[in-house]
Amino acid sequence: MKLPSIKGFDEEAFNKYLKNTGWLMFGKVLSLIVGLFIARYLGPDLFGDLNFGLSLVAILAAVGSLGLDTFIIREIIKEPARKAEILGTSLWLRLVTNAAAIPIAMAIYNVSHKISRSPGEPLTIMVGLLALASFFKSFNVIDAYFQSQVQSKYVVQVQNICLILSAILKLLIIYWGLPLIYIVLALVFDGLILAIGLIIIYHKRGFSIFEWTFNADRARSLLKQSSPLILSAVMISIYMKIDVVMLKSVGSKAVGIYSAAANISEAWYFIPVAIVTSVFPALLNARKTDIDRYHKRLGNLYDLLVYICLPVGLFISFTADFIIHLLYSNKFEGAGAMLSIHIWSGIFVFLGSASSQYLIAEGYTKVAFYRTAAGAVVNIMLNIWLIPKYAGVGASISTLIACIVSTFFILFIPKTREQGKMMLKSLFLVTTFQKILKR
């Protein structure tokens, strides 16, 4: 199937994107469907407990990744003969960090639970198990290797095989009526089989992880390079997950209802990443050869993302209650209002994803960090104010405003202001109307 031509972008690049991301989209849809079954089965209280644990662990997992992926790829491309040293050193750094994160996650939860006197039973064991599931993500260094060789299709295939096995297991847990802890154990199983799958596919390509070595000098070099990205990754995780963690003070049910809405709203966030990734090489090439064409392509990208978001946002805003009732029956009363607000965060996430590539291309990494930090701070401050008054609706409003602040933070920086203006023109369809009037 041919993808329709989009002005300003290479049709072949988009057709390649469509072909290479078919399995990725299948995996995302499958995860969404299984997630809906789990939410309906657990109900808002237990579903809230599960999402609270996942969000708390996700913030710590941002530290565990050590921001190494980009540097692993770069180092392997630069020194292919030192592949075993680079991968081995990266793996050991992650294993040690993620292992330490397990007791830390449990301790943080225990302290916060006692201080806040959150309602409900302690979730210490669940948090520890979810941190263990995150521990197995240390083996994602193998994914970074395949990315460096432009062979990500092997990883996507492994991921989807694991997703299918995981889906079967979780559906059986639901069918047998087993308690929440078994779903948590299934998530640990997810991490384990994905790690095993990555090791198997790596060995099938004729390599062996037993050849990997640890080098202390390499470790220091990698950590020195990635240290700014660790803090940035933590800020991104706080920015995306802190609302769920802070909602726990209101109760598990509030977390569950909000998570039901947020999971639907965020289900398609992989789309802008895939689109932006597919056109990024063309943008970089244009920047080298024709700066005017480079800016034009950026504008076209912003327009495209707005064209995707606006119809979806309008449709879901008017049908949010019906969608929640259809997917969750009457178990998540009030999630419709949250969804109708939260869905509009997507348009700013899309624009933020595209403008982040611009910041990377121009070397404005500090600006990228500052914008994320601004979003995180705004989200926390608004949550402190709005969650006690409006619970999940307050968290939805906080997330939307934080996304707006983060995306358009670049307006306040003189060297990036023009990009902010371009995004505003796309957002308010100014460039669209200009193109119509020129015809």
Side-chain angles (χ1 to χ4, degrees), residues 236-247 258 261-262 265-266 269 338 341-349 374-384 386-387 391-407:
I236 291 170
S237 294
I238 291 173
Y239 173 42
M240 297 299 294
K241 299 294 182 182
I242 197 65
D243 44 6
V244 174
V245 174
M246 295 179 74
L247 258 176
Y258 174 77
S265 178
E266 296 170 1
Y269 281 7
M338 300 173 201
I341 298 168
H342 200 288
I343 190 64
W344 289 104
S345 302
I347 194 167
F348 302 104
V349 171
V377 171
V378 168
N379 206 2
I380 291 170
M381 298 302 293
L382 288 175
N383 278 328
I384 291 171
L386 295 175
I387 283 177
V393 171
S396 301
I397 295 170
S398 299
T399 297
L400 175 57
I401 295 174
C403 287
I404 295 171
V405 170
S406 178
T407 300

Side-chain angles (χ1 to χ4, degrees), residues 351-363:
L351 289 172
S353 177
S355 57
S356 291
Q357 297 301 317
Y358 159 77
L359 294 176
I360 291 170
E362 298 295 331

